[in-house]
Amino acid sequence: MTLFLAVILAVAGLELLLILLVHHYRKQFQWLITKQDELPQLDREGLAKFFAKSYDPELGWVRRPNTTGTERGKGGPITFHIDELGSRKSHAAGEPKLAAFGDSYTFCRQVEDSETWEAYLSEESGNKVLNFGVGNYGADQAVMRYLRTELPDSVDVVVLGFVPETLCRVHSHWKHYLEFGNTFAFKPRYMVGEKGELTLSENPMKSEEQFQEIEELIPQLAERDFFYRRKFRALQFRFPYTASFVRH
């Protein structure tokens, strides 16, 4: 066997091994993506629950007033309650003085209603704090949520809470391109014009029916979403998988 043939067989063997490994583990590990993820199959049951509990045609999704939910916290299951304003339920007395908007770090997803930083701030300051955080929000969605929320007249301070990921999300139209596998999360996005002006590119999913026509929307989503080529396309495993592996 010549050296050239040995190299060819070794590369072919590595290619086959990578294909088998990626396709075996991709369902268990959302960060392994292939060309198949360009058009993911949306789970019908999950989509029905999404529409029933949180879908919003303007913002993409939101916590609904007068609802309750449970999530897996670090120390076990936690329960959250949303009041009539759409804010996380507060046990603080008196009129609210401050309202907080942001993502899951503002909402405090993994702790009980009484364990959020807003609850502790209410206790320390003696002023009731409203919590309008929503998991997976971008800073743009948080600001849009604030603009459409009718706050009590007693509120005179508004806080925008964010972490680096909250800022990254302002460039995203479909969260699947940024956080692979987050296929229900479509959102509005502000675009910067030639003169620096902001133009709103609305949430592309205006109805449940449009989710069934996702294949038709993907070309424009890929064009408008900052992360499609820079992250989603760049990190895909495509033939030859060996080249993708080496490139990464």
Side-chain angles (χ1 to χ4, degrees):
M1 181 183 297
T2 64
L3 177 61
F4 177 76
L5 182 57
V7 170
I8 293 296
L9 289 175
V11 171
L14 178 60
E15 178 71 12
L16 179 59
L17 178 62
L18 281 173
I19 291 174
L20 293 174
L21 286 174
V22 168
H23 285 268
H24 176 74
Y25 285 110
R26 63 188 295 268
K27 291 183 179 180
Q28 304 170 40
F29 189 59
Q30 73 180 80
W31 301 109
L32 281 177
I33 59 170
T34 68
K35 192 174 181 180
Q36 290 177 267
D37 293 290
E38 292 275 354
L39 181 59
Q41 295 296 313
L42 302 183
D43 177 60
R44 292 183 178 275
E45 183 177 342
L47 191 58
K49 291 180 180 179
F50 173 68
F51 268 86
K53 293 184 176 181
S54 58
Y55 170 73
D56 186 275
E58 180 188 16
L59 299 174
W61 60 95
V62 74
R63 298 286 185 188
R64 302 237 172 110
N66 298 313
T67 57
T68 300
T70 59
E71 289 191 353
R72 182 184 301 170
K74 187 175 181 180
I78 64 98
T79 302
F80 62 84
H81 305 82
I82 308 299
D83 65 17
E84 66 279 0
L85 295 175
S87 168
R88 189 164 184 177
K89 189 174 182 179
S90 172
H91 298 287
E95 295 294 321
K97 295 294 184 180
L98 184 148
F101 293 81
D103 65 0
S104 59
Y105 283 86
T106 299
F107 185 75
C108 304
R109 290 183 70 167
Q110 295 200 3
V111 297
E112 301 284 353
D113 294 337
S114 61
E115 298 173 324
T116 67
W117 63 259
E118 290 88 350
Y120 288 118
L121 182 57
S122 296
E123 184 179 339
E124 289 290 326
S125 67
N127 295 310
K128 186 175 182 179
V129 180
L130 299 178
N131 178 353
F132 289 97
V134 180
N136 287 320
Y137 259 21
D140 47 2
Q141 289 167 292
V143 171
M144 291 176 70
R145 174 96 192 275
Y146 157 69
L147 291 174
R148 81 174 199 184
T149 300
E150 293 186 16
L151 293 172
D153 293 337
S154 58
V155 173
D156 52 20
V157 176
V158 175
V159 171
L160 173 63
F162 58 86
V163 294
E165 195 71 7
T166 325
L167 301 179
C168 289
R169 291 168 181 155
V170 304
H171 298 291
S172 177
H173 244 325
W174 189 14
K175 295 289 292 298
H176 177 51
Y177 291 150
L178 171 60
E179 299 164 12
F180 310 151
N182 199 345
T183 55
F184 298 163
F186 295 87
K187 61 179 285 294
R189 179 194 174 191
Y190 282 94
M191 313 291 283
V192 181
E194 293 181 1
K195 298 181 180 179
E197 73 281 7
L198 289 177
T199 302
L200 178 63
S201 180
E202 296 181 345
N203 175 25
M205 289 301 189
K206 296 295 186 184
S207 67
E208 188 170 358
E209 289 71 31
Q210 283 190 288
F211 276 81
Q212 312 306 324
E213 302 165 0
I214 185 173
E215 187 172 3
E216 299 175 15
L217 290 172
I218 281 180
Q220 71 178 50
L221 288 171
E223 181 180 349
R224 293 181 182 181
D225 196 295
F226 177 86
F227 294 102
Y228 174 71
R229 292 196 176 279
R230 291 170 175 85
K231 184 175 183 180
F232 182 80
R233 179 78 176 177
L235 295 179
Q236 272 185 28
F237 273 94
R238 299 188 304 275
F239 184 81
Y241 278 39
T242 308
S244 297
F245 180 77
V246 172
R247 184 172 68 249
H248 299 163

